[in-house]
Amino acid sequence: MRNKINIAIDGPAGAGKSTIAKAIARELGIAYLDTGAMYRACGLKALNLGIDCFDAEQITQMIQDTSIDITYEGGVQKVWLDGTDVTSLIRTQEVSKAASDIGTNANVRKKLVHLQQTIAADKSVVMDGRDIAMYVLPNADFKFYVTASVEERAKRRYKDLYESNTLNGRSMDDLIVEIAARDYVDMNREAAPLRPADDAEIVDTSCLTADEAVEYILTKIMDKEEG
Ligand code: DC
């Protein structure tokens, strides 16, 4: 394998990107960057300050005054907001929505994309997000767009939430509506809307287990690297 390798994994909410990206990074022995965590941290700040994520002026002002840092502890990514570790605070449904909403702001994107590019500049990384192949790492060595049907993604989310006892009364239909709404915002925003890059390979995981998807992507990478 070459000295430095950048792998972009994009796709909609709940398609299994982070599970897949983490496993690939582990197998290849390189860093993993979950860019969604950065948008989540910004969304959390807006929620804490009571700022509407679609209020362009206030969000633009807020972001100028915000520091986001990524560190790794035992291989696990931690995200810091203005010097505070917020890793465990950013996985709620409220923050998911705020992250998606704040991601429509071009100034937020500019700041976070710059940070992501700086992190990838001098090391091998598997980066997961929405705009990695198109905007963050347009020259990535490998680009995958991991997707699955809305129903399948809602089914997986239901299982996760059920198992962690955090369904909070939501039904499968509620989750389908939540995921479809997030897709709509992510795919229809003006700034860097979610869509597969022309040179990305689309991996539909609707009928694949996470292990099968990882195996498929790893084989693609190794075939090219060793071939
Ligand atoms: O990957 P995730 O579910 O943690 O991302 C949360 C939201 O953050 C997602 O709905 C849209 C936004 N996001 C983005 O706009 N660009 C990225 N590269 C990653 C996430």
Side-chain angles (χ1 to χ4, degrees), residues 35-36 39-40 91 99-100 109 129-131 182 186 189:
T35 62
Y39 289 88
R40 286 173 180 271
R91 297 290 153 195
S100 185
R109 306 203 70 81
R130 302 289 188 290
D131 58 341
R182 197 130 77 89
D186 293 351
R189 64 182 175 223

Side-chain angles (χ1 to χ4, degrees), residues 35-54:
T35 62
M38 298 176 171
Y39 289 88
R40 286 173 180 271
C42 294
L44 176 67
K45 179 159 179 175
L47 284 175
N48 287 344
L49 293 176
I51 300 176
D52 176 354
C53 288
F54 291 115

Side-chain angles (χ1 to χ4, degrees), residues 6-188:
N6 283 166
I7 300 168
I9 301 196
D10 292 300
K17 291 185 308 289
S18 68
T19 309
I20 292 169
K22 258 185 230 162
I24 288 170
R26 197 171 47 239
E27 286 294 325
L28 298 177
I30 64 178
Y32 161 65
L33 183 69
D34 164 16
T35 62
M38 298 176 171
Y39 289 88
R40 286 173 180 271
C42 294
L44 176 67
K45 179 159 179 175
L47 284 175
N48 287 344
L49 293 176
I51 300 176
D52 176 354
C53 288
F54 291 115
D55 184 331
E57 209 173 300
Q58 284 208 68
I59 293 293
T60 298
Q61 210 171 4
M62 180 196 95
I63 201 71
Q64 284 168 1
D65 230 7
T66 298
S67 85
I68 303 285
D69 290 295
I70 297 292
T71 59
Y72 294 90
E73 234 170 70
V76 177
Q77 175 178 312
K78 281 187 176 286
V79 57
W80 300 76
L81 170 65
D82 297 328
T84 302
D85 178 3
V86 294
T87 313
S88 61
L89 303 177
I90 56 170
R91 297 290 153 195
T92 65
Q93 166 55 23
E94 214 188 356
V95 175
S96 299
K97 183 176 181 318
S100 185
D101 293 349
I102 209 165
T104 60
N105 183 294
N107 292 305
V108 170
R109 306 203 70 81
K110 200 169 155 196
K111 176 162 180 154
L112 297 186
V113 167
H114 177 71
L115 188 56
Q116 292 151 14
Q117 288 172 334
T118 307
I119 292 172
D122 59 355
K123 64 167 170 284
S124 293
V125 65
V126 180
M127 209 180 273
D128 107 41
R130 302 289 188 290
D131 58 341
I132 310 304
M134 299 257 285
Y135 298 94
V136 183
L137 303 175
N139 298 321
D141 306 288
F142 293 93
K143 299 178 176 182
F144 297 97
Y145 186 89
V146 175
T147 188
S149 66
V150 174
E151 291 74 18
E152 181 57 32
R153 288 185 279 139
K155 216 161 90 186
R156 293 177 192 165
R157 181 61 46 93
Y158 188 91
K159 183 171 175 282
D160 285 349
L161 296 178
Y162 179 79
E163 284 172 3
S164 59
N165 219 359
T166 50
L167 257 176
N168 298 333
R170 278 173 289 170
S171 66
M172 182 76 95
D173 282 347
D174 293 334
L175 295 183
I176 290 176
V177 170
E178 269 172 27
I179 289 179
R182 197 130 77 89
D183 283 356
Y184 184 85
V185 174
D186 293 351
M187 290 173 179
N188 291 286

